[in-house]
Amino acid sequence: MNWTDGHSFIIIHPLDPFSFEECLIFLGRNEREILHTIKEGCLMKLVRLNGELILIKVQSVNDSLKVEFLNGIPSEAAREKAAEYIWEWFDLDTDLSHFYKWGSDDPVLSELIRRYTGLRMIAIHDLFEALVWAVLGQQINLTFAYTLKKRLVEAYGEKLTFHGETYWLFPSFEEIALLGEADLRKLQITGRKAAYIIGIAAAMKDGRLTKESLLKLDEQQARKALLQYKGIGAWTADYVMMKCLHVKSSFPIADVGLQNALKAAMGYERKPKLEEMEAFSHKWEGWQGYAAFYLWRSLYEAI
């Protein structure tokens, strides 16, 4: 991790290639997003680091990321945590040059790499947030999933008002574990999903399910550990492993958006069949997650 501490701000020095502009396009794909705000090329987000509530502003300056602390100067420990958070959020440990060289001859990936050079796998740092987001998105369209997330955050999340703007934290698993299914059904979350979310929160509250424990497992072990919880099927496990655990070979094979993106990329008149998706997965062995992420990006060309 390469960063500089300026006390009231930090500077993150990403490894090339990195495009903050491309990352902002992905982060800005839905106007109902409540957990970050994008204005004039800057990204604002409320985070809790080292026990401190911190409002950060991220912008690109001279090929680096300047991260300003808007609501006061955090402790030295919190500033270091902020650097770690940004580094993970934008997956800056990954050397994309290896992916680009590897995919340069692939008929699907070569064009995506050319169009989206510097795009990083945008992570969801918090395991509970990643799991709940995946559960909310099951079998509904993306816009309604964002609506449900917004309702959940506004009902149970922590907030900070700064210069007339309100910024939000995703609810903690401790908070959600105390709820009943009826509380979530009031937000138009189905009873089944409410039960799943509360069950996941309870498992995290009592320490059975943690990000730290999952990171100690190999890919198959982590997938098996996730699948034992109600509401976490194959798609949810694969998505969370991609977006939260940074498993580059995870591939949500049943994802409708991924199928539609491949349909467009290949010029098919129909969505790829399961066996075709499996063939792509084997072909992209080791980089399936990035292949999927770049295909998802291709769905937002109109942005």
Side-chain angles (χ1 to χ4, degrees), residues 230-268:
K230 289 183 178 180
I232 304 178
W235 177 87
T236 301
D238 290 332
Y239 179 84
V240 169
M241 288 169 67
M242 273 182 63
K243 295 280 284 177
C244 185
L245 304 183
H246 304 277
V247 178
K248 301 294 185 291
S249 54
S250 193
F251 192 68
I253 201 165
D255 185 81
V256 174
L258 184 56
Q259 293 169 352
N260 285 330
L262 264 172
K263 173 187 173 183
M266 298 299 293
Y268 290 168

Side-chain angles (χ1 to χ4, degrees), residues 14 43 86 105 201 264 302-303:
L43 175 63
I86 297 296
D105 295 326
I303 295 177

Side-chain angles (χ1 to χ4, degrees), residues 80-209:
E80 183 172 357
K81 288 291 185 183
E84 293 173 358
Y85 183 94
I86 297 296
W87 200 263
E88 180 183 358
W89 194 11
F90 293 103
D91 193 35
L92 297 180
D93 265 337
T94 297
D95 186 347
L96 279 184
S97 64
H98 293 316
F99 173 53
Y100 291 167
K101 182 178 180 180
W102 175 87
S104 61
D105 295 326
D106 186 276
V108 175
L109 298 183
S110 58
E111 175 61 17
L112 298 179
I113 289 168
R114 184 191 67 78
R115 278 152 49 185
Y116 312 130
T117 298
L119 174 64
R120 297 280 171 158
M121 177 88 72
I122 308 300
I124 301 176
H125 178 85
D126 180 66
L127 177 63
F128 183 61
E129 179 188 337
L131 286 166
V132 172
W133 174 234
V135 168
L136 288 176
Q138 292 170 1
Q139 300 178 325
I140 61 173
N141 66 58
L142 190 63
T143 297
F144 189 48
Y146 272 104
T147 298
L148 292 179
K149 183 174 79 168
K150 187 173 187 291
R151 291 173 183 169
L152 180 68
V153 170
E154 289 178 337
Y156 300 106
E158 191 173 357
K159 66 180 179 179
L160 173 73
T161 301
F162 181 80
H163 289 179
E165 297 284 342
T166 301
Y167 301 90
W168 293 89
L169 280 182
F170 195 80
S172 68
F173 57 79
E174 293 94 343
E175 177 82 13
I176 300 302
L178 297 174
L179 302 179
E181 292 176 26
D183 297 309
L184 297 184
R185 286 202 302 270
K186 292 175 183 176
L187 308 177
Q188 283 191 290
I189 297 172
T190 66
R192 180 175 292 180
K193 288 183 180 179
Y196 294 159
I197 290 168
I198 292 170
I200 290 167
M204 295 193 68
K205 185 178 180 180
D206 66 23
R208 284 179 286 137
L209 177 60

